[in-house]
Amino acid sequence: MADTRPTLEAVAAHAGVSRATVSRVVNGSTGVRAAVRDRVERAVADLGYIPNSAARSLVTRRTGAVAVIVAEPERRVFADPFFAQQLRGISRELAAYDTQLVLMLVERREDYDRIGRYLSGGHVDGTLMFSLHRDDPLPGMAAASGLPAVFGGRPGWPGAEDDPGLLYVDADNRDGARQAVRHLRDRGRKRIAVITGPLDQTSAADRLDGYRDALGGPGDVAQGDFTAGGGERAMLELLDRCPDLDAVFASSDLMATGALRALRARGLRVPEDVAIVGYDDMEPASWSDPPLTTVRQEVEEMGRLMAGLLLRRLGVAPPDEGLAPVITQARLIVRAST
């Protein structure tokens, strides 16, 4: 069957301009008068012309795609609503600038080789990376590839604080934790424990620091893993170790839901016997029994901000807001669990 799709030559004939002029307009080049550009764009719309992306990338040296790399296995990414919200913010911002999202996950150590080859292979224009752990090789791989990168979360790897060009988006995790613990103290709670996330991630370490700031001491600490199962195990450990505790700050909503399950299993009432505060304010927090007091971070907006920073660094989006790391504010949302 013959290919009946309109060609560059057909658009040029329809607009009454040269093929080279159409090529410059389609590829976003400068130096075309506004009236001519409008005429070409009308011809493109009239004929339904779709530029050949492979040919365009040869001209622009752009692929029109961005790699979004989450340093977590599939089972975590698709079970935790945090990742869904962040990816939604990223996807919407990229789509607004006609840029494709290529999602890559880290299931096993061998995946790093695959990701490194992909980043160095000219398949994408830049990368967004988040949920990194302390010794994660991904930042070094981004640097080795030469691709512009934006990170989700405060960088914690050696030398990051000395890199003036490093771009990242995070919430003020330390202050969010302070708000949670101060709220529990204001409610008259005397022995407040914490369930942390993995402490090789800066978000978890910052929340632990904020807990200790507000408590004024080391406190009672159990380590979780940002999952409901991890929160349940940590809560049971705390109850065995600190039977007189009357409040707990769980460093994520998923861990807080696991803690609620453990408290019910021990016959303890929330908040009468033990008050609980989570972190994130994912939608299920308001559905839990009782509804969960939590610290809200604007996760979808953080994803949008990450994508916006990268698009501006690539020159795809206008540089209106500048290029600098972004720290968003966290805010306590009070519900029935306290």
Side-chain angles (χ1 to χ4, degrees), residues 199-220:
L199 293 176
D200 65 346
Q201 292 187 294
T202 56
S203 59
D206 289 348
R207 292 171 200 178
L208 176 59
D209 287 343
Y211 160 82
R212 287 173 167 162
D213 291 344
L215 203 65
D220 299 303

Side-chain angles (χ1 to χ4, degrees), residues 28 67 81 97 107 111 120 123 140 160 171 176 180 198 256 261 271 279 289 304 337:
Y97 289 91
E107 194 72 32
D111 288 334
S120 299
H123 304 292
R261 190 163 55 204
Y279 202 107
D289 183 20
R304 188 194 71 78
S337 69

Side-chain angles (χ1 to χ4, degrees), residues 195 227-228 231-232 235 248-263 276-279 288 292-294:
I195 300 173
T227 70
E232 182 175 20
M235 188 74 250
V248 63
F249 165 50
S251 297
S252 78
D253 288 346
L254 274 183
M255 292 195 300
T257 61
L260 284 170
R261 190 163 55 204
L263 291 165
I276 187 164
V277 179
Y279 202 107
S288 66
L292 189 64
T293 293
T294 186

Side-chain angles (χ1 to χ4, degrees), residues 252-326:
S252 78
D253 288 346
L254 274 183
M255 292 195 300
T257 61
L260 284 170
R261 190 163 55 204
L263 291 165
R264 280 196 297 269
R266 292 288 178 92
L268 295 168
R269 299 167 301 162
V270 176
E272 292 84 356
D273 300 318
V274 179
I276 187 164
V277 179
Y279 202 107
D280 289 329
D281 196 28
M282 297 292 99
E283 196 171 0
S286 62
W287 304 343
S288 66
D289 183 20
L292 189 64
T293 293
T294 186
V295 178
R296 175 179 294 170
Q297 55 175 341
E298 300 295 342
V299 178
E300 184 173 334
E301 174 65 4
M302 289 162 64
R304 188 194 71 78
L305 289 168
M306 284 178 64
L309 280 175
L310 183 60
L311 290 167
R312 290 199 294 281
R313 172 160 277 185
L314 292 170
V316 176
D320 301 338
E321 301 172 51
L323 287 171
V326 178

Side-chain angles (χ1 to χ4, degrees), residues 59-245:
V59 175
T60 64
R61 299 188 182 276
R62 292 259 174 85
T63 66
V66 163
V68 178
I69 304 172
V70 187
E72 299 291 351
E74 179 183 288
R75 64 184 179 279
R76 270 221 59 207
V77 172
F78 293 115
D80 189 336
F82 174 91
F83 294 110
Q85 283 206 20
Q86 192 151 31
L87 287 168
R88 182 164 58 191
I90 290 170
S91 177
R92 287 179 173 176
E93 186 71 3
L94 293 180
Y97 289 91
D98 196 23
T99 301
Q100 303 305 310
L101 182 160
V102 179
L103 179 62
M104 308 186 79
L105 309 179
V106 178
E107 194 72 32
R108 58 188 68 85
R109 294 298 301 181
E110 292 83 357
D111 288 334
Y112 286 111
D113 291 336
R114 172 179 58 85
I115 291 169
R117 290 194 304 271
Y118 191 84
L119 293 181
S120 299
H123 304 292
V124 291
D125 299 324
T127 180
L128 300 169
M129 297 181 171
F130 59 94
S131 202
L132 301 183
H133 298 258
R134 184 177 295 124
D135 298 325
D136 206 303
L138 286 171
M141 292 163 59
S145 73
L147 292 173
V150 175
F151 299 93
R154 181 178 65 81
W157 56 88
E161 65 277 4
D162 300 322
D163 183 350
L166 195 65
L167 292 178
Y168 65 90
V169 175
D170 203 358
D172 191 340
N173 289 294
R174 191 164 184 161
D175 184 63
R178 290 191 201 107
Q179 293 179 49
V181 178
R182 287 170 183 160
H183 170 72
L184 290 168
R185 296 191 75 173
D186 290 345
R187 292 294 172 99
R189 304 294 166 157
K190 302 300 184 186
R191 188 163 188 181
I192 304 168
V194 63
I195 300 173
T196 77
L199 293 176
D200 65 346
Q201 292 187 294
T202 56
S203 59
D206 289 348
R207 292 171 200 178
L208 176 59
D209 287 343
Y211 160 82
R212 287 173 167 162
D213 291 344
L215 203 65
D220 299 303
V221 181
Q223 186 167 329
D225 57 3
F226 285 148
T227 70
E232 182 175 20
R233 289 188 295 273
M235 188 74 250
L236 291 171
E237 175 194 326
L238 285 168
L239 292 171
D240 290 340
R241 181 159 33 101
C242 319
D244 60 336
L245 70 80

